[in-house]
Amino acid sequence: IYLIDRLGRYVNGFPVDLKKEILLGPDIYDFSGNRKYNIMVLHKDNTIDMYNLKGAKPSSWKGISVSEGKIKSLPERIDLSGSTFWIVRTSVQTLIYPFYGGEPLTVYEGAQRIRPDSEVKALDGKTVEFTCYDGKVRTQTLK
């Protein structure tokens, strides 16, 4: 990862080696609002990881990987009543993960899988709505 300032100069302490090749990213986040930035990248091995700007993963980070299909983009952030979740779109389906990754919260099979192009809409502070392969609109409580 390289960091370049507004004047086009390389920032001291960079580049940072993440030890895996990057396919896409980074996306940059300031979760706490105190300028302690984290980045997320999609690696060439079909995994998504979060790092601080020194190249270290947060101690609670479990990673994001999928069992089938290729991850097509960086995750989309969705906030529900102060909790953050990640929407991950693959070539096969859309999955929703908790903030620190790990196992997906939405595990469906066959025609009940969430379409890769489905909008994921927050209904309230704990529930999302999406469209599945069978054309039905379903809801899932995430909190």
Side-chain angles (χ1 to χ4, degrees):
I1 295 288
Y2 289 85
L3 186 61
I4 301 171
D5 70 15
R6 294 180 201 200
L7 299 176
R9 299 175 297 203
Y10 289 98
V11 174
N12 196 17
F14 288 87
V16 172
D17 184 6
L18 300 181
K19 310 288 189 250
K20 289 175 26 176
E21 283 191 77
I22 298 171
L23 179 64
L24 190 60
D27 267 352
I28 301 170
Y29 300 95
D30 181 7
F31 298 114
S32 62
N34 61 4
R35 301 176 70 165
K36 294 200 182 227
Y37 299 103
N38 287 62
I39 62 170
M40 291 188 83
V41 297
L42 171 59
H43 290 287
K44 286 188 175 182
D45 67 358
N46 205 37
T47 61
I48 295 172
D49 280 311
M50 181 187 295
Y51 300 92
N52 64 22
L53 292 183
K54 295 184 192 272
K57 295 177 189 176
S59 60
S60 300
W61 180 251
K62 298 177 185 91
I64 293 176
S65 61
V66 297
S67 59
E68 61 179 344
K70 294 282 279 173
I71 298 172
K72 294 301 204 181
S73 61
L74 289 168
E76 301 162 37
R77 180 179 175 180
I78 187 167
D79 291 309
L80 301 175
S81 294
S83 295
T84 299
F85 300 90
W86 301 109
I87 300 166
V88 176
R89 300 186 187 276
T90 74
S91 56
V92 177
Q93 64 183 321
T94 296
L95 297 164
I96 302 174
Y97 288 82
F99 179 73
Y100 286 113
E103 295 299 316
L105 301 171
T106 53
V107 180
Y108 297 102
E109 295 190 16
Q112 292 185 343
R113 290 183 296 185
I114 305 170
R115 293 174 46 100
D117 60 349
S118 174
E119 177 185 5
V120 177
K121 184 167 54 171
L123 295 180
D124 56 30
K126 58 184 177 181
T127 308
V128 293
E129 177 181 84
F130 44 80
T131 304
C132 299
Y133 274 101
D134 59 10
K136 294 183 180 177
V137 175
R138 292 188 169 79
T139 61
Q140 168 109 19
T141 300
L142 298 180
K143 289 182 79 175

